[in-house]
Amino acid sequence: RQEWGREERAQWAVVDADTDRLMGRVALRSILLDEGTAEVAYWTVVAARGRGVAARATTALSRWALDEIGFHRLELMHAVRNVASCRVATKAGFAVEGTKRSALLHQDGWHDMHLHARVQGD
């Protein structure tokens, strides 16, 4: 709530419409309202993987942020080795823009990251 109040980050739970069971989360991070940009992030619980949950939630969040709120550009990054996350980004309409080399430190070391983006009008 504090990050939302400071207009820095917003997060939503993704739940099953019938059972209200947690399926994952979607978020806007690194919000820069004056520049009209933010980073999209998501994760899903193991039981929800491979069912299109992340792609649907990311698509819904992106449409809301771009069409209703008025963001100009949304970025999304994932580890190059995370093929499933790349599929989610592509299904949600995020074009691959390139690779950021050695851009994020994980527990097992530095990872190259794919950069995807979606802009108003995509």
Side-chain angles (χ1 to χ4, degrees), residues 63-77:
R63 286 183 181 152
W64 174 78
L66 293 166
D67 300 340
E68 294 184 37
I69 301 303
F71 280 91
H72 174 71
R73 177 182 171 88
L74 300 176
E75 293 185 347
L76 186 158
M77 287 195 312

Side-chain angles (χ1 to χ4, degrees), residues 77-82 99-114:
M77 287 195 312
H78 64 81
V80 169
R81 291 185 278 179
N82 190 339
T99 301
K100 295 178 76 171
R101 297 179 306 125
S102 198
L104 193 63
L105 182 60
H106 289 188
Q107 286 182 325
D108 62 345
W110 288 97
H111 284 242
D112 291 350
M113 303 295 286
H114 274 165

Side-chain angles (χ1 to χ4, degrees), residues 87-101:
R87 280 194 303 269
V88 168
T90 302
K91 286 181 182 179
F94 284 76
V96 177
E97 292 193 334
T99 301
K100 295 178 76 171
R101 297 179 306 125

Side-chain angles (χ1 to χ4, degrees), residues 18-33:
D18 296 325
T19 65
D20 208 33
R21 186 174 23 151
L22 180 68
M23 303 296 280
R25 80 101 154 103
V26 291
L28 292 176
R29 309 189 297 196
S30 305
I31 296 172
L32 299 174
L33 289 178

